[in-house]
Amino acid sequence: MLKLFSSSTVSRAHHLTPAIRPGASSVESPLFKALSHLTGLNRRSTSLGGRRVFFCSDNASDSSSAIVPTNPRPEDCLTVLALPVAHRPLFPGFYMPIYVKDPKVLAALQESRRRQAPYAGAFLLKDDPSTDSSSSTEMEKNINELKGKDLLKRLHEVGTLAQISSIQGDQVILVGHRRLRITEMVSEEPLTVKVDHLKDKPFDMDDDVIKATSFEVISTLRDVLKTSSLWRDHVQTYTQHIGEFTYPRLADFGAAICGANRHQAQEVLEELDVHKRLRLTLELMKKEREISKIQETIAKAIEEKISGEQRRYLLNEQLKAIKKELGVETDDKSALSEKFKERIDPNKEKIPAHVLQVIEEELTKLQLLEASSSEFNVTRNYLDWLTILPWGNYSDENFDVVRAQQILDEDHYGLSDVKERILEFIAVGRLRGTSQGKIICLSGPPGVGKTSIGRSIARALNRKFFRFSVGGLADVAEIKGHRRTYVGAMPGKMVQCLKSVGTANPLVLIDEIDKLGRGHAGDPASALLELLDPEQNANFLDHYLDVTIDLSKVLFVCTANVIDMIPNPLLDRMEVISIAGYITDEKVHIARDYLEKTARGDCGIKPEQVEVSDAALLSLIENYCREAGVRNLQKQIEKIYRKIALKLVREGVVPEEPAVAVDAEEAEIVTKLDVESTENHVVEESPAPAAKEPKEETQNEKKAIEKVMIDEPNLADYVGKPVFHAEKIYEPTPVGVVMGLAWTSMGGSTLYIETTVVEEGEGKGCLNVTGQLGDVMKESAQIAHTVARKIMLEKEPENQFFANSKLHLHVPAGATPKDGPSAGCTMITSLLSLAMKKPVQKDLAMTGEVTLTGRILPIGGVKEKTIAARRSQVKTIIFPEANRRDFDELAENVKEGLDVHFVDDYKKIFDLAFVSDNKQQD
C-alpha cells in the first residue's frame, strides 16, 4: 500500500526532524496556486504552528523543500539493502509499510538504523513467468521464498531510495526519497546491491509544451477532485508535508495516487524525461476520470431508483390514509374480506359446512395479520382459492340422445363402439335424472381422434371441457397440490380445473396417461388413484386446500396409446374403449367429409378452384399415409392446399378483399383429429354458428378462376415421392416364406418370416434366429423348431431335413425391435414350407402363438391385424379360435371380402397352408 507521509507518521519517525523554511510564504509557484485553489489551501492552512514540515525531496539543493538531516546524507548511500515491493512501486514523497519475514533482513535494517544510515532500496517485483497466480497471498509467499540471485533476477532495476522511518515488529515503514538503479550485487543474504542515483533529465521550466501538459494534468485532477474526496485529502496532505508542486512532483503525485496497475506505475517511475513522465501520468489520470464518471453514473442511477421507490411508497401510504379519512375506500384487509364474502354469499347454502368453517377462520385470521407480513399473503391466496371454487354449482346437462348422436356423427366418422358407449352413458343419465362421474379410457394409435372425441362428448353433454396432459409428469404435487408452507405453493391440476371451468361437473380429459413419469417427488400414478377411483374421489383431498372436494360428478376421459404401460391398479378403475384405427375406406370418407373441407377453408381456397380426384386421394392414403390414424393424412392434405394457394397467387387469382369466411357447412366443421397439445385450456361449448350466405364473386379479380386438378399422375408434384411401397413383397410367396400379422402402438402391420438352409450334413441340425427379436420371439422360434420337427416326423417320417440342416430364420426390418407372443404358428409354417419344399397358399396371413403340444393360444389386436391384412390385399386370414368373438364384433366393412379361419390346433393350419395341388402357383 502506497500512502502519503502524514503528520502522525512524522511524529512516530524520530529520525525525521521538522525544519523551518524561512521565507516560504513569499514564493508561490503557479502549480501550487492552482492546486491550492482546488483544495481550498493557503499558506496559513499549510503551516503547523507557524512552521512548514517537509521531508526528503529529489534534490537536496531545491529551495522548495527541506532535507531531513541524516548521517550519512541520502546521496552518500551507494550500497543499500534491496527490499522487494509486491504490489506497487514506492514513489518519492510517499511512504509505504511493508512486512519483512526474513529475520536476517530485519536485523540488517535495524542495524542500519543504529548506525545512523537508515536507508534501503525499494524495488518492484516482476511477474513470475512460471505461475498465473496474482493473488496477494501468493505474491507475499513468493517474496518470502526468494533469496540472493533469484531475488535479484525478479527485481526491476529502477527503484526508490527509501528512508527507514520505523520498525515495529515485522512491519517496516519506508519513506521514498529519490530514484535508484541497481548496478551490481554486493552480497546475497541479505541481498545488498550497488546503486546509481538517478536524476531527472534537464528541462526548460518555461517550455510551453510542458506547461500545457502540466496544466492539463491539473485540469484532469480538478475533474476527479469534484467527485473524489479521497483525492482531495491526498492533495492537502501532500502540500502540507512535501512542499510546493513542481513538474516532476506533479507527475509522481498523479501516478502514485491513481488506480493504475503496477506495470504502468513502474513505467512512470523509470521515466526520467519530465515531459514524457507528465504525459504518462496524464493518460493514467484520464482513465481515472472516466472511471469516476462511470462510478458517478451508477451511483446516481441507483440513488434515483431507490428514491423513486421510496417516494412512490410514501405517496401510496398518504393516498391510503386520505381515502380512509374521507371514507372513499377502506383499508386492504377490509376490502379483501368484503371481496371474499361477496363470492361466498350467493352460494352459501351450497358450500359444505366444513369448508365454510375454514373460510370463516381464515377471514378472522386475515384481520389479525399485518399486511406487510408473509403470512398475510399466504392467507390471502388461500382464501382466494377457497372462495373462487364452484362449490355445488353444476351445469345443466343435456340428455337428448338424438342430439348427442347427431353431434358425434357430425364430428367423427365411424367409431361406432365409442359412440355407442357415450350414448349408453347419456341414456342412463336421462333415466336416473342425474349422471355419475365415470372413468373412460380411450386407447389407440396416435391420430385416431382420442382427444377430439373427449371434446365432442363434452359438447354433446353440454359440459365444460378441461384438458391436461400427464405425459412425463413426475411430481405428485401437480395432481395433489403443494403444502401451503412451501414458497410458491399452488393447488393441483384438479383444483385449477374447477376454478377455470366454474362448474363442479366438467368433463376432464387426462391425456397420455400411459406416459406417466416417476421421479424423486413421488409416484404420480399412485396419486391418480384417489382422483379417479369412484369410491374415493367424492372426498378428494388437495394438499394446498386441505379440505375435501366432491369430484364424483366429474366425467373423466383418459387417453393412451398402449394400455400395457398403465399401472394395473390405475387401469382397474377405468373402462377401456379401444380405437384400432381406420381402414382405407374410412380414411377416404374422413378426408372427403372433414379434412379436405377444413384444409380448404384454412387456406382460403374456394371449392370451385380445386378438385382432388378419388384416385389421388386413394393413392395418398395407400402410398403416403398408411398409419392407423389420420393426423399425417391431414398434414399431407394441408400441404397440397398450401401449394395450390401458392400457385393461385402466382397466377394472379387474388380477390381485392381476401375471403375471411367459408360456407355454412364448413363453418360447422370442428377439427376431428387428436391434435396433442401441451397447454391446459377450457372450451366453452356454444351452438354452431349461424349459416352465412355464400360470398358473391367480386368483379375485381385480376384473372378468371381456373380449376386446379389433383390426380394420381400429378400427386407427386404436391407431396413428393411415395413414402410406402407395397407390404406384399412376394408374388407368389416362395418356399420358406410366410406372412404374419403384428400389432404395434402405431396400429397393425404385416411382416414376413423367412427361413433358408445354410448348410446340410448329417447331424448338423440347428436353428439361427435374426431380426432384432426380443426374448419372447426367440423362445417362440425355439418352440416352433421343436413343433415343426414333431409334425414333420408325423407327416413324413423318412424326411430327415431338420436333423441334418442348419437353418437360418429371419424377420425382415432388422432395425425395428420386435417382440410378442403371436408369431409361433407363422414360424412353424415357414420351417415346414422349407422342409417340404412347398410354398404356402397364395394371399395367406396368419397369427397366433403355439404351445409344444400344438395348441393355438389367443392373441390381441384382432381389429388392427385385420386392417393390416386388408391393406396388404390378403384374402385368407388364420386366427386362433378364442378370437372368434373379437372378430365377430368388427364392423362389416372391415370384414368384407376376407376368408377368415379360426383354429385351435396347428394341424388345421397345416391343412389350410399347404394345399396338395399348389393351385396358388397357377
Side-chain angles (χ1 to χ4, degrees):
M1 178 181 290
L2 191 62
K3 297 184 180 178
L4 284 171
F5 196 72
S6 64
S7 58
S8 61
T9 309
V10 175
S11 65
R12 290 198 305 270
H14 59 274
H15 285 294
L16 296 179
T17 305
I20 300 174
R21 292 190 59 234
S25 61
S26 61
V27 180
E28 297 225 358
S29 70
L31 294 177
F32 186 81
K33 287 181 180 179
L35 287 172
S36 298
H37 177 70
L38 287 176
T39 59
L41 292 174
N42 53 46
R43 284 297 178 184
R44 188 169 297 175
S45 66
T46 59
S47 65
L48 296 174
R51 299 187 305 167
R52 291 285 305 280
V53 181
F54 301 93
F55 59 85
C56 183
S57 64
D58 289 6
N59 192 344
S61 62
D62 189 352
S63 64
S64 66
S65 65
I67 300 173
V68 178
T70 56
N71 187 21
R73 294 179 302 172
E75 58 265 28
D76 296 332
C77 297
L78 301 178
T79 302
V80 294
L81 285 171
L83 299 178
V85 179
H87 307 295
R88 286 176 64 86
L90 174 62
F91 280 88
F94 288 80
Y95 81 90
M96 175 185 290
I98 65 171
Y99 293 89
V100 179
K101 303 296 183 181
D102 192 337
K104 293 182 180 180
V105 177
L106 196 59
L109 293 173
Q110 291 172 343
E111 181 63 24
S112 297
R113 294 194 66 202
R114 282 195 294 270
R115 290 190 291 106
Q116 298 299 312
Y119 294 103
F123 300 93
L124 183 66
L125 200 66
K126 297 178 182 177
D127 290 336
D128 186 0
S130 62
T131 178
D132 295 334
S133 176
S134 60
S135 66
S136 301
T137 306
E138 290 295 327
M139 296 284 285
E140 296 290 345
K141 185 178 178 183
N142 291 340
I143 292 176
N144 296 329
E145 292 177 353
L146 292 172
K147 307 289 182 184
K149 293 182 180 180
D150 293 335
L151 177 58
L152 183 62
K153 291 178 181 178
R154 290 284 305 281
L155 296 178
H156 283 278
E157 289 185 1
V158 177
T160 308
L161 178 65
Q163 184 175 339
I164 305 168
S165 173
S166 66
I167 302 177
Q168 297 178 359
D170 60 352
Q171 186 188 57
V172 179
I173 297 179
L174 303 176
V175 181
H177 277 251
R178 58 178 63 196
R179 288 167 168 80
L180 300 175
R181 176 180 279 117
I182 298 175
T183 57
E184 60 177 294
M185 184 176 67
V186 177
S187 62
E188 292 192 11
E189 288 196 24
L191 179 62
T192 307
V193 296
K194 285 186 178 182
V195 294
D196 285 341
H197 292 252
L198 303 178
K199 294 184 178 181
D200 295 334
K201 293 180 180 180
F203 64 95
D204 184 3
M205 294 187 63
D206 296 328
D207 183 87
D208 293 338
V209 177
I210 292 180
K211 285 182 179 180
T213 306
S214 62
F215 278 101
E216 181 62 25
V217 172
I218 293 173
S219 176
T220 307
L221 183 59
R222 178 190 295 114
D223 294 339
V224 179
L225 286 172
K226 291 178 181 178
T227 58
S228 175
S229 59
L230 179 63
W231 280 50
R232 193 177 302 114
D233 294 341
H234 279 317
V235 174
Q236 292 175 351
T237 307
Y238 194 86
T239 55
Q240 286 175 0
H241 300 99
I242 306 304
E244 297 177 358
F245 276 94
T246 61
Y247 296 132
R249 287 179 182 171
L250 181 63
D252 288 346
F253 175 81
I257 67 174
C258 72
N261 62 43
R262 52 205 298 266
H263 302 294
Q264 293 171 328
Q266 178 66 25
E267 187 179 356
V268 175
L269 184 68
E270 293 179 357
E271 184 57 62
L272 300 180
D273 188 315
V274 175
H275 179 233
K276 291 183 178 179
R277 191 189 304 169
L278 281 169
R279 287 184 62 91
L280 290 173
T281 300
L282 181 59
E283 290 180 9
L284 298 180
M285 295 188 69
K286 291 286 186 183
K287 292 180 182 177
E288 193 73 23
R289 183 178 66 178
E290 294 303 319
I291 293 173
S292 299
K293 288 182 179 178
I294 295 173
Q295 179 183 357
E296 185 180 8
T297 303
I298 295 172
K300 186 177 180 181
I302 294 174
E303 183 179 354
E304 288 177 354
K305 181 180 179 181
I306 293 174
S307 61
E309 290 176 354
Q310 290 176 340
R311 182 171 179 272
R312 190 179 299 110
Y313 174 77
L314 290 174
L315 290 175
N316 282 330
E317 291 300 317
Q318 292 174 1
L319 181 63
K320 290 178 184 177
I322 293 171
K323 286 185 175 181
K324 190 174 181 180
E325 288 294 327
L326 295 175
V328 177
E329 183 179 293
T330 57
D331 59 5
D332 287 346
K333 290 190 286 188
S334 300
L336 284 172
S337 298
E338 288 299 323
K339 182 181 76 171
F340 295 144
K341 288 178 180 178
E342 287 175 3
R343 285 182 181 177
I344 62 175
D345 284 344
N347 302 317
K348 204 165 187 177
E349 298 78 10
K350 299 179 182 178
I351 301 177
H354 67 282
V355 177
L356 267 178
Q357 181 180 355
V358 172
I359 293 175
E360 294 294 337
E361 291 174 355
E362 292 296 320
L363 284 172
T364 305
K365 179 181 176 182
L366 187 71
Q367 295 298 323
L368 300 176
L369 292 171
E370 288 294 331
S372 58
S373 67
S374 59
E375 186 67 20
F376 180 85
N377 292 326
V378 172
T379 305
R380 181 186 62 189
N381 292 336
Y382 182 46
L383 279 168
D384 189 41
W385 280 102
L386 276 178
T387 55
I388 205 168
L389 291 182
W391 302 103
N393 286 336
Y394 301 99
S395 61
D396 295 330
E397 290 187 275
N398 192 323
F399 295 118
D400 188 346
V401 177
V402 176
R403 174 180 174 274
Q405 178 79 56
Q406 291 175 349
I407 291 175
L408 293 174
D409 289 340
E410 178 183 289
D411 289 352
H412 298 275
Y413 181 83
L415 305 178
S416 57
D417 295 344
V418 182
K419 295 176 180 178
E420 191 70 18
R421 177 63 188 90
I422 301 306
L423 295 176
E424 292 170 2
F425 175 81
I426 295 173
V428 171
R430 181 165 188 173
L431 293 176
R432 294 189 56 195
T434 181
S435 64
Q436 293 296 321
K438 293 291 181 181
I439 300 97
I440 298 172
C441 180
L442 303 174
S443 70
V448 295
K450 300 185 295 296
T451 302
S452 59
I453 287 174
R455 196 174 287 112
S456 299
I457 296 172
R459 192 157 73 95
L461 291 171
N462 196 32
R463 288 195 181 204
K464 296 294 181 65
F465 178 79
F466 185 86
R467 173 192 171 274
F468 69 92
S469 176
V470 295
L473 186 70
D475 191 355
V476 172
E478 290 290 326
I479 299 167
K480 297 278 288 179
H482 303 86
R483 301 287 182 186
R484 291 199 305 279
T485 53
Y486 298 151
V487 176
M490 286 285 289
K493 288 289 186 185
M494 203 57 229
V495 177
Q496 296 177 36
C497 159
L498 295 178
K499 175 186 175 182
S500 299
V501 299
T503 62
N505 63 336
L507 185 146
V508 178
L509 181 74
I510 304 177
D511 241 340
E512 311 293 352
I513 201 168
D514 58 329
K515 300 177 182 63
L516 276 169
R518 184 168 186 173
H520 67 280
D523 182 12
S526 300
L528 279 174
L529 293 177
E530 182 182 356
L531 179 65
L532 297 180
D533 191 344
E535 301 298 325
Q536 301 181 51
N537 62 14
N539 295 295
F540 177 75
L541 183 65
D542 184 89
H543 289 161
Y544 182 86
L545 294 184
D546 206 22
V547 293
T548 57
I549 308 172
D550 183 9
L551 301 179
S552 60
K553 300 294 192 297
V554 178
L555 176 59
F556 292 98
V557 178
C558 307
T559 69
N561 295 129
V562 185
I563 60 173
D564 296 340
M565 303 294 292
I566 304 174
N568 285 333
L570 195 57
L571 185 63
D572 183 59
R573 288 162 170 80
M574 301 177 184
E575 181 180 348
V576 179
I577 300 177
S578 178
I579 305 175
Y582 303 104
I583 61 175
T584 302
D585 296 342
E586 292 175 330
K587 285 186 177 181
V588 171
H589 279 284
I590 293 171
R592 282 290 187 208
D593 298 340
Y594 304 100
L595 305 181
E596 193 180 355
K597 293 181 179 180
T598 303
R600 187 169 61 237
D602 291 343
C603 293
I605 299 174
K606 299 177 181 178
E608 61 270 15
Q609 290 178 306
V610 64
E611 180 180 345
V612 181
S613 68
D614 294 339
L617 206 55
L618 189 62
S619 177
L620 183 68
I621 293 169
E622 292 184 345
N623 299 328
Y624 296 85
C625 311
R626 198 176 285 179
E627 64 282 337
V630 292
R631 182 179 289 117
N632 190 42
L633 179 59
Q634 180 197 28
K635 293 177 182 177
Q636 297 296 338
I637 292 175
E638 289 175 349
K639 184 177 181 181
I640 292 174
Y641 277 93
R642 286 197 305 270
K643 289 187 178 295
I644 293 173
L646 178 60
K647 182 177 180 181
L648 292 174
V649 171
R650 282 177 173 170
E651 292 177 354
V653 186
V654 183
E656 284 190 354
E657 296 181 2
V660 294
V662 293
D663 55 55
E665 183 181 3
E666 293 178 54
E668 296 178 356
I669 299 296
V670 180
T671 304
K672 306 305 180 293
L673 302 178
D674 180 15
V675 180
E676 314 292 349
S677 171
T678 58
E679 298 178 356
N680 298 335
H681 55 275
V682 181
V683 174
E684 291 277 355
E685 302 302 339
S686 58
K692 295 183 180 181
E693 292 296 328
K695 198 169 184 180
E696 294 183 2
E697 295 294 331
T698 63
Q699 302 297 325
N700 298 323
E701 289 187 351
K702 299 179 181 179
K703 202 173 184 180
I705 296 176
E706 296 180 6
K707 180 173 286 190
V708 179
M709 291 293 299
I710 307 297
D711 208 348
E712 190 173 3
N714 67 345
L715 181 64
D717 297 336
Y718 293 89
V719 292
K721 295 181 180 180
V723 178
F724 296 101
H725 300 283
E727 292 186 7
K728 194 172 182 181
I729 304 173
Y730 301 105
E731 188 70 40
T733 307
V735 172
V737 178
V738 180
M739 180 185 289
L741 298 174
W743 178 91
T744 67
S745 60
M746 299 295 291
S749 65
T750 59
L751 54 85
Y752 284 96
I753 293 182
E754 306 171 341
T755 309
T756 188
V757 178
V758 178
E759 185 181 356
E760 288 187 328
E762 189 174 352
K764 289 190 176 182
C766 66
L767 178 65
N768 183 30
V769 180
T770 58
Q772 200 176 160
L773 308 181
D775 293 337
V776 175
M777 290 194 72
K778 288 178 182 178
E779 291 179 358
S780 296
Q782 295 297 326
I783 294 172
H785 191 231
T786 301
V787 174
R789 296 186 66 170
K790 176 182 176 183
I791 293 175
M792 202 66 214
L793 187 63
E794 295 175 359
K795 299 290 183 181
E796 300 179 10
E798 69 284 353
N799 191 333
Q800 298 298 313
F801 176 80
F802 290 111
N804 301 327
S805 300
K806 183 178 181 180
L807 305 178
H808 183 176
L809 186 146
H810 176 67
V811 182
T816 305
K818 295 173 279 290
D819 200 15
S822 63
C825 63
T826 315
M827 291 178 175
I828 295 173
T829 308
S830 176
L831 291 169
L832 291 175
S833 172
L834 188 65
M836 297 186 301
K837 295 182 175 54
K838 289 183 179 180
V840 297
Q841 179 184 343
K842 186 178 180 181
D843 298 332
L844 172 69
M846 62 185 70
T847 180
E849 188 64 12
V850 182
T851 66
L852 284 173
T853 60
R855 299 292 298 176
I856 306 297
L857 302 179
I859 48 88
V862 171
K863 182 176 180 179
E864 290 87 347
K865 293 179 179 181
T866 305
I867 292 173
R870 285 187 54 127
R871 190 167 54 234
S872 296
Q873 287 84 43
V874 172
K875 299 296 188 294
T876 306
I877 304 177
I878 298 177
F879 279 130
E881 177 65 37
N883 292 111
R884 182 188 293 271
R885 183 184 61 183
D886 300 327
F887 184 82
D888 291 341
E889 292 178 354
L890 298 181
E892 292 300 325
N893 62 336
V894 176
K895 298 185 289 184
E896 185 180 358
L898 294 175
D899 182 17
V900 182
H901 300 271
F902 299 94
V903 298
D904 55 5
D905 189 271
Y906 185 78
K907 292 179 180 179
K908 297 181 180 179
I909 296 179
F910 186 90
D911 296 335
L912 292 169
F914 302 105
V915 292
S916 58
D917 53 0
N918 288 334
K919 291 182 180 179
Q920 68 275 16
Q921 301 295 337
D922 298 341

